[in-house]
Amino acid sequence: MQAHDALYLSGMWRAARRPATADAIEVRNPATEEVIARVPAATAEDVDAAVSAARAALSGWAETPPAERGARIAALRDALAARRDEIAATVTAELGAPLSFSQTVHADLPIAVAGSYATIATEYAFEERVGNSRVWQEPIGVVGAITPWNYPLHQIVAKVAPALAAGCTVVLKPAENTPLVAQLFAEAVDAAGFPAGVFNLVTGYGSVAGEALAGHSGVDLVSFTGSTAVGRRIGATAGAAVKPVALELGGKSANVILPSADLSKAVKVGVANVMANSGQTCSAWTRMLVDADRYEEAVELAAAAVAKYVPGDPADAATRIGPVVSAAQRERVTGYIAEGVREGARLVAGGDQAPEGCERGWYVRPTVFADVTPEMTIAQEEIFGPVLSILKYDDADDAARIANDTVYGLSGAVWAGDEEEAVAFARRLETGQIHVNGGRFNPLAPFGGYKHSGVGRELGTHGLAEYLQTKSLQF
Ligand code: NAD
């Protein structure tokens, strides 16, 4: 798509009020390192204008009947679906995800989530009776949405669609690495015929536009997805202003393979889960837990499975793994790989050198570590790259202890020969989502974290509830 040298405010593309000192954001293709577009870096003044536009539109949109809001969201879903291939190509160009993954996940998933909120807006009970009371669910107001680059359109839709369904208006500040799909999203909103100001887009840097939005007195709720460090800061700002906040943060999820499980399937699916999107998935099962008796077999299976992930050009339909998003991300990931080696983990695949034949582009070798122990850095910290750590456990109690032994709790998996055995084990895990024997992602199921993985839930009716506040009338 053609990049806009403008922000989307009050239903129009407008030039940013860019001071002479501020540079535009250069968007680079991670596979070629080339600049593919430039977008405006919004200032605090621009954010102010966007928040004013959202506030001006709030009462009209909040009073729009939910079925009409749902109809607009259905039109948005249709506008996105009509541009599915362009969405996929855009995400491949700015994120580096393989084209087939961009089609089925980066495009189809957010289209499905937008569709789910068209239905939820129409069917949700915004009013109920409780004894002698009528209880109303009302929109919380102006939402500031701050999103990351790893699932760039999904994370936008997972915030904007429920906010609009609730009757809120929105200012979106997308990640600086992936603003192009955000601009495409704004075009789809425009095509769907929402009233001016209901949705506004400010591209910009986190330290300028993000900070201005997170701390703006005209924003009623900040919904943030990204690093725990920034989330903590946004939570503190919101707390001081007595405002609700929704935070989707990092993860270090455990993939617990119980002794009765189909080992080869569990390892194969586990490796695929970590390698998808070059490991840049907050809910990735980056710690594989295997019992001592089958540990070496699991390590061999994992090494064989990861060998099938040969880094290559993400625009090529046959490529299964592309680069990571940026030079900084590659530094971070290879730094963790070097740290794993330093701390004594056994490198069974990959390493911190660039993959063969990938001199250009921010590629990282798909990496598997064995003999990882729970206190190691690579078992505790979110790496956000194609790196799997395999840990050994003695018995079910030990497995549960290791699985719960990080500050995070976003996702996870349990495998067992008997589903009930897996379900009983799942109860012991301190985490927001658990996939039983490879159960697939459900875009209607609540998604969100325990512990430092976040506050609140996204998707489905639970995701809608984040954008509502409750009023009760007694009779
Ligand atoms: P980040 O938290 O810095 O960026 C996420 C979003 O927040 C971006 O839109 C950014 O511009 C904005 N932001 C940055 N600083 C801000 C501030 N002070 N105030 C308001 N907004 C601000 O994440 P990153 O630097 O892109 O990635 C760093 C690490 O975070 C990754 O390596 C990964 O571990 C983690 N991460 C997690 C997720 C997730 O989905 N949980 C997503 C992306 C990154």
Side-chain angles (χ1 to χ4, degrees):
M1 67 165 274
Q2 188 67 36
H4 291 271
D5 184 22
L7 308 172
Y8 185 73
L9 303 182
S10 281
M12 281 162 50
W13 290 96
R14 296 190 193 188
R17 282 180 241 176
R18 196 183 301 151
T21 51
D23 288 327
I25 294 172
E26 289 187 336
V27 186
R28 287 176 187 266
N29 181 325
T32 64
E33 307 183 18
E34 280 161 8
V35 175
I36 53 171
R38 286 181 176 78
V39 302
T43 62
E45 259 192 305
D46 295 315
V47 170
D48 207 34
V51 173
S52 297
R55 190 142 288 285
L58 180 62
S59 61
W61 184 243
E63 285 160 21
T64 302
E68 171 57 19
R69 299 201 296 255
R72 282 303 112 232
I73 298 169
L76 170 61
R77 185 249 346 260
D78 293 345
L80 292 170
R83 299 179 68 179
R84 183 229 188 204
D85 289 342
E86 206 184 337
I87 292 168
T90 303
V91 175
T92 290
E94 62 184 351
L95 175 65
L99 194 55
S100 58
F101 191 77
S102 289
Q103 286 161 342
T104 54
V105 177
H106 290 300
D108 290 350
L109 174 60
I111 292 167
V113 171
S116 76
Y117 282 109
T119 308
I120 290 170
T122 309
E123 295 177 354
Y124 192 75
F126 288 92
E127 179 172 344
E128 62 174 333
R129 280 198 170 270
V130 180
N132 64 316
S133 301
R134 282 169 74 184
V135 179
W136 290 341
Q137 300 294 332
E138 299 188 328
I140 213 152
V142 173
V143 171
I146 301 176
T147 55
W149 42 263
N150 57 326
Y151 286 83
L153 184 59
H154 170 65
Q155 285 147 335
I156 289 171
V157 172
K159 296 187 190 308
V160 176
L164 298 181
C168 296
T169 57
V170 180
V171 177
L172 168 67
K173 206 301 281 173
E176 35 282 65
N177 305 73
T178 54
L180 300 180
V181 78
Q183 290 193 340
L184 193 158
F185 177 78
E187 288 178 355
V189 169
D190 197 69
F194 285 86
V198 167
F199 170 81
N200 308 275
L201 172 70
V202 285
T203 50
Y205 290 105
S207 55
V208 180
E211 285 262 357
L213 186 58
H216 201 290
S217 60
V219 170
D220 299 300
L221 174 140
V222 176
S223 179
F224 170 81
T225 299
S227 62
T228 301
V230 176
R232 185 178 277 128
R233 202 181 152 104
I234 288 176
T237 305
V242 198
K243 281 183 197 172
V245 70
L247 303 173
E248 293 291 340
L249 309 176
K252 192 74 194 176
S253 297
N255 179 11
V256 183
I257 306 175
L258 294 172
S260 61
D262 176 342
L263 185 68
S264 118
K265 184 174 176 200
V267 170
K268 201 169 144 205
V269 174
V271 167
N273 175 284
V274 173
M275 296 302 145
N277 215 36
S278 296
Q280 301 164 123
T281 304
C282 45
S283 54
W285 311 336
T286 47
R287 294 179 299 142
M288 182 181 285
L289 275 57
V290 185
D291 64 278
D293 286 349
R294 298 200 295 175
Y295 187 79
E296 282 310 322
E297 191 187 345
V299 170
E300 277 171 31
L301 287 166
V306 86
K308 302 210 171 85
Y309 290 83
V310 180
D313 179 2
D316 181 338
T319 296
R320 293 177 83 179
I321 188 164
V324 297
V325 70
S326 63
Q329 195 64 18
R330 184 179 58 183
E331 283 301 298
R332 177 189 159 98
V333 175
T334 54
Y336 274 113
I337 295 173
E339 180 67 15
V341 172
R342 236 185 336 269
E343 290 187 354
R346 172 165 48 118
L347 191 64
V348 294
D352 64 353
Q353 301 299 309
E356 274 162 42
C358 297
E359 287 71 32
R360 216 166 51 128
W362 298 308
Y363 289 93
V364 176
R365 283 177 192 250
T367 296
V368 176
F369 278 111
D371 300 343
V372 177
T373 52
E375 72 289 350
M376 285 183 187
T377 306
I378 56 168
Q380 290 294 328
E381 296 187 13
E382 183 175 54
I383 298 173
F384 233 58
V387 183
L388 171 66
S389 296
I390 312 183
L391 294 91
K392 193 183 292 177
Y393 67 82
D394 297 329
D395 55 21
D397 287 348
D398 195 35
R401 185 187 58 75
I402 296 169
N404 290 333
D405 183 27
T406 78
V407 294
Y408 294 114
L410 189 55
S411 186
V414 182
W415 302 79
D418 171 35
E419 195 171 287
E420 284 316 306
E421 185 192 355
V423 168
F425 189 85
R427 274 206 192 282
R428 305 174 67 176
L429 297 181
E430 297 160 3
T431 191
Q433 278 216 340
I434 298 166
H435 298 263
V436 175
N437 284 340
R440 68 180 196 284
F441 185 79
N442 175 2
L444 289 172
F447 180 89
Y450 280 31
K451 305 193 282 187
H452 287 194
S453 288
V455 176
R457 292 292 176 271
E458 293 195 316
L459 304 179
T461 53
H462 292 259
L464 179 75
E466 295 288 326
Y467 299 97
L468 295 168
Q469 55 190 345
T470 308
K471 182 183 281 174
S472 66
L473 285 72
Q474 283 58 247
F475 295 91

